[in-house]
Amino acid sequence: EDFWKQQHIDQNYDIVYTPHIANLDLWKTSGHFDFYKEGMFDQMEVENEQYQIKPMNCPFHCLMYKDAIRSYRDLPFRWGELGTVYRYERSGTLHGLFRVRGFTQDDAHIFCLPEQLQDEIVGVLKLTRSILSRFGFEKYELMISTRPEKSVGSDQIWEDATEALVGALDELGWEYGTDEGGGAFYG
C-alpha cells in the first residue's frame, strides 16, 4: 500500500478516502442504480432513508469535486483511492478472484479539460506500466472498449474520449485491440 501511495503521490495524485455506504439518492443521481442495480446488494434502511453499500467509488469522487467552487485553471485534479467495493454476484457465479462480492481496487479519477485528456491518459498508462512492471507483469493485452448500446453521454463525448484513448496509445507506440460495444455505460 505504501508503494502504491508513493507512486500516485509522485504523479501528483491526492490520496482520498470515501465511505463504504451512502444514501441511495447518490446512486440514482449518478445513474449507477438504473444501469447497475442487478449488480448491487439490496438497500438498507437507516433512519427512514434508503442506503446503499458502495459497488463503485465514482459517485463519491464526483460528489467531492462538486463540493467546492473550482476554476478550470486548477485542472487537472487527480484523486486516487484504494477503495473497497461490494458487488452482488449470484452464488453460482462466484469464482476465485474473477467473481467476488467484495474487493479493494486501485481506483483513480481525473477531472480535466478536454484538451488535457490525451496527456492525462498517457500519464495513467505510464503509471500503470510502472506499477505492473514492479510486480513482474511485462506482457499484457490492451483493449479499447467502445460505447455500449446502453450508455450515457453524447455521441461527441464518446467520440472525443475514444479518440484520446487511441491517440495516447499511438503516442506511446503500444499495440491494442478494440472491443466494440464493450465499454461501461458511463465511459
Side-chain angles (χ1 to χ4, degrees):
E1 187 173 326
D2 291 340
F3 167 73
W4 176 89
K5 283 182 182 177
Q6 194 57 54
Q7 289 285 303
H8 282 75
I9 290 168
D10 290 347
Q11 298 303 314
N12 298 312
Y13 282 76
D14 290 323
I15 307 303
V16 299
Y17 302 91
T18 58
H20 290 252
I21 188 170
N23 190 293
L24 181 60
D25 290 342
L26 178 62
W27 310 106
K28 288 182 175 180
T29 299
S30 71
H32 286 88
F33 186 76
D34 290 337
F35 283 91
Y36 194 70
K37 64 184 160 198
E38 68 281 349
M40 297 168 74
F41 279 100
D42 286 339
Q43 296 74 48
M44 61 191 88
E45 189 171 310
V46 178
E47 299 177 351
N48 299 317
E49 298 275 340
Q50 291 292 304
Y51 278 77
Q52 178 71 53
I53 193 163
K54 70 176 176 176
M56 61 277 303
N57 300 302
C58 319
F60 286 104
H61 293 187
C62 292
L63 196 60
M64 289 168 51
Y65 181 80
K66 80 175 220 181
D67 190 49
I69 296 174
R70 304 183 188 279
S71 170
Y72 71 92
R73 292 181 200 92
D74 297 328
L75 296 174
F77 284 103
R78 299 182 191 100
W79 291 333
E81 175 175 16
L82 285 175
T84 301
V85 296
Y86 308 90
R87 311 246 172 110
Y88 176 72
E89 299 284 354
R90 293 184 321 274
S91 59
T93 66
L94 297 173
H95 181 71
L97 293 176
F98 294 108
R99 299 295 289 252
V100 296
R101 289 186 172 155
F103 56 93
T104 300
Q105 64 184 6
D106 173 348
D107 199 8
H109 291 89
I110 298 171
F111 297 84
C112 66
L113 295 169
E115 56 267 24
Q116 297 170 322
L117 186 55
Q118 184 171 318
D119 289 340
E120 290 300 314
I121 293 169
V122 167
V124 168
L125 292 170
K126 288 179 177 180
L127 174 61
T128 302
R129 179 180 55 195
S130 171
I131 291 172
L132 289 175
S133 65
R134 178 72 179 263
F135 294 97
F137 294 100
E138 299 291 342
K139 294 182 181 181
Y140 35 84
E141 293 180 19
L142 300 170
M143 300 292 290
I144 294 179
S145 297
T146 62
R147 186 178 193 170
E149 188 175 314
K150 188 177 177 184
S151 62
V152 296
S154 70
D155 290 342
Q156 189 62 54
I157 288 172
W158 278 87
E159 290 168 16
D160 291 347
T162 302
E163 184 180 307
L165 288 166
V166 168
L169 288 165
D170 288 346
E171 180 179 327
L172 292 170
W174 294 7
E175 293 182 19
Y176 58 91
T178 304
D179 178 13
E180 292 293 340
F185 78 89
Y186 50 82

